[in-house]
């Protein structure tokens, strides 16, 4: 019998993109797939839209408040346990899997042996590689070969992140206190420290994010500054677990980013520097809770 997969889709006020995401999931060639929509308390009619979908494979849960991406994924992974899947497939609401994306992940899952997670090839709207979703092969280096056979990686993103439920039960849930950014790097690295993980070139997902430039505090607008407070704090937590190599990475990155702000930022230089410095310091003492599934969450 085909193994059961639950796609966990976290959404917030992006009803149109969510509709396209759900349609692409329902069109997958691999059919033993449930879709669990986790709504971070959207105010754009998302709840009414999803509840009107006449398909027993689609279910909906409203978190009741905006938990951020990190909180949404933790909420979703916990809620998905009640569906008793063999695998979870995590993604944002602007992720559009091609029709055989899941089939290709399943082929690798069934044939590659023990693994911690699989990551799809994520393309941007123009079919170029999506810069923010390129996996890491070391702490400092991103994958550069996007074709051919599956390739070992150590970090991936929550845009087509495929993980066995038995691994979730062992390593625990994503960390909700991260709120946004680096939650997927933390979770994927937590897994890859115990199990091999792979990039699957034949599984292709389109990420319809607004820009393919990634995020950069050097030139980002002030209304997005709060995100960087989470980003720098969270990354310190991720890399400080890696020993000397992690500390070297953090030190060099901090110096590089501060230097770029000083040289290149056209406004709010002082504020940008304060964010990097203060959030990095906060990360040194940041001790979030790693929660695990309980029996009453639906654990087998």
């Amino acid at each position: 019998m085909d193994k059961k997969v639950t796609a966990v889709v976290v959404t917030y006020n992006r009803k149109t993109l969510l509709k396209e995401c759900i349609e692409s999931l329902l069109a997958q060639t691999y059919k033993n797939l449930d879709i669990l929509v986790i709504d971070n308390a959207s105010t754009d009619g998302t709840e009414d839209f999803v509840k009107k979908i006449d398909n027993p494979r689609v279910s909906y849960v409203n978190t009741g408040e905006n938990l951020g991406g990190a909180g949404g994924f933790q909420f979703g992974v916990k809620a998905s346990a009640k569906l008793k899947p063999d695998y979870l497939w995590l993604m944002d609401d602007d992720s559009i899997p091609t029709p055989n994306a899941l089939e290709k992940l399943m082929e690798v899952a069934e044939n590659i042996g023990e693994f911690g997670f699989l990551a799809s090839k994520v393309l941007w709207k123009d079919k170029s590689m999506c810069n923010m979703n390129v996996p890491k092969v070391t702490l400092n280096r991103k994958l550069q070969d996007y074709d051919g056979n599956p390739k070992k990686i150590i970090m991936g993103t929550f845009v087509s992140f495929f993980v066995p439920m038995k691994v979730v039960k062992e390593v625990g849930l994503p960390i909700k206190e991260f709120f946004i950014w680096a939650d997927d790097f933390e979770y994927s690295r937590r897994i890859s420290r115990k199990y091999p993980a792979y990039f699957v070139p034949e599984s292709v997902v389109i990420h319809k994010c607004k820009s393919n430039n990634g995020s950069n505090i050097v030139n980002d607008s002030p209304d997005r500054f709060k995100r960087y407070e989470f980003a720098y704090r969270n990354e310190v937590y991720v890399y400080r677990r890696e020993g000397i190599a992690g500390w070297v990475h953090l030190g060099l990155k901090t110096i590089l980013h501060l230097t770029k702000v000083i040289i290149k930022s056209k406004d709010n230089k002082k504020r940008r520097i304060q964010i990097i410095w203060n959030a990095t310091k906060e990360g040194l003492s940041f001790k979030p809770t790693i929660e695990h599934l309980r029996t009453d969450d639906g654990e087998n």
Side-chain angles (χ1 to χ4, degrees):
M1 183 178 174
D2 285 346
K3 296 290 181 68
K4 182 178 178 181
V5 182
T6 296
V8 177
V9 182
V10 175
T11 190
Y12 179 66
N13 282 345
R14 292 199 291 199
K15 183 173 61 174
T16 301
L17 282 166
L18 176 64
K19 181 176 186 291
E20 192 173 354
C21 175
I22 292 172
E23 287 172 349
S24 70
L25 289 170
L26 290 173
Q28 289 296 300
T29 54
Y30 188 90
K31 296 300 182 186
N32 197 3
L33 171 67
D34 292 322
I35 302 163
L36 177 60
V37 177
I38 303 298
D39 183 3
N40 265 330
S42 295
T43 56
D44 65 347
T46 289
E47 181 166 2
D48 288 342
F49 155 66
V50 178
K51 287 185 173 180
K52 286 178 182 175
I53 297 175
D54 186 19
N55 193 310
R57 293 166 57 197
V58 180
S59 53
Y60 171 91
V61 182
N62 194 314
T63 61
E65 60 180 310
N66 184 6
L67 304 176
F73 279 112
Q74 191 206 74
F75 193 104
V77 172
K78 190 183 295 186
S80 70
K82 294 180 171 62
L83 300 173
K84 300 192 181 303
D86 297 291
Y87 299 102
L88 295 183
W89 193 19
L90 310 184
M91 66 189 69
D92 291 322
D93 52 9
D94 56 357
S95 308
I96 315 298
T98 58
N100 68 347
L102 180 54
E103 181 182 340
K104 294 300 181 181
L105 290 172
M106 289 302 303
E107 287 176 4
V108 173
E110 296 299 307
N111 293 304
I112 207 163
E114 191 173 58
F115 70 93
F117 72 88
L118 305 177
S120 297
K121 179 195 287 188
V122 182
L123 305 179
W124 195 54
K125 291 179 283 192
D126 65 358
K127 304 302 191 291
S128 63
M129 287 296 297
C130 193
N131 292 325
M132 72 171 66
N133 302 120
V134 177
K136 287 194 173 187
V137 294
T138 71
L139 296 180
N140 305 304
R141 190 163 61 87
K142 288 185 175 183
L143 181 73
Q144 304 206 340
D145 180 4
Y146 311 129
D147 299 304
N149 295 322
K151 299 155 200 320
K152 272 199 170 182
I153 56 176
I154 67 167
M155 292 184 189
T157 68
F158 287 164
V159 174
S160 192
F161 186 90
F162 186 85
V163 58
M165 200 67 194
K166 66 178 182 180
V167 172
V168 173
K169 291 173 182 176
E170 180 183 347
V171 305
L173 304 170
I175 298 175
K176 64 184 178 184
E177 288 90 346
F178 271 43
F179 194 73
I180 55 167
W181 288 358
D183 52 313
D184 41 15
F185 273 7
E186 185 284 324
Y187 195 57
S188 57
R189 183 59 180 143
R190 198 192 319 164
I191 292 170
S192 71
R193 286 162 69 92
K194 295 189 173 187
Y195 295 98
Y198 300 92
F199 172 80
V200 182
E202 291 190 328
S203 174
V204 178
V205 173
I206 310 301
H207 189 189
K208 292 197 170 182
C209 48
K210 289 182 180 178
S211 164
N212 198 19
N213 295 325
S215 299
N216 191 336
I217 195 170
V218 172
N219 51 27
D220 217 337
S221 57
D223 63 302
R224 288 171 55 86
F225 280 177
K226 182 66 180 177
R227 296 167 180 252
Y228 291 95
E229 295 177 14
F230 294 115
Y232 285 98
R233 179 199 67 180
N234 295 347
E235 286 209 4
V236 172
Y237 175 85
V238 174
Y239 282 93
R240 78 185 197 211
R241 299 182 304 190
E242 302 290 341
I244 293 175
W247 289 113
V248 170
H249 172 90
L250 286 169
L252 293 174
K253 180 177 180 178
T254 303
I255 293 168
L256 177 63
H257 285 207
L258 287 170
T259 302
K260 283 185 174 180
V261 167
I262 292 168
I263 294 173
K264 295 184 177 181
S265 292
K266 292 182 169 58
D267 57 36
N268 293 286
K269 282 190 182 186
K270 184 177 179 181
R271 179 68 184 125
R272 295 175 202 267
I273 290 169
Q274 285 176 333
I275 289 170
I276 296 173
W277 188 252
N278 292 338
T280 298
K281 284 198 300 182
E282 185 182 351
L284 297 174
S285 58
F286 181 43
K287 294 180 180 178
T289 302
I290 295 179
E291 296 184 30
H292 286 73
L293 288 172
R294 305 183 307 270
T295 303
D296 58 353
D297 290 322
E299 184 178 346
N300 293 326

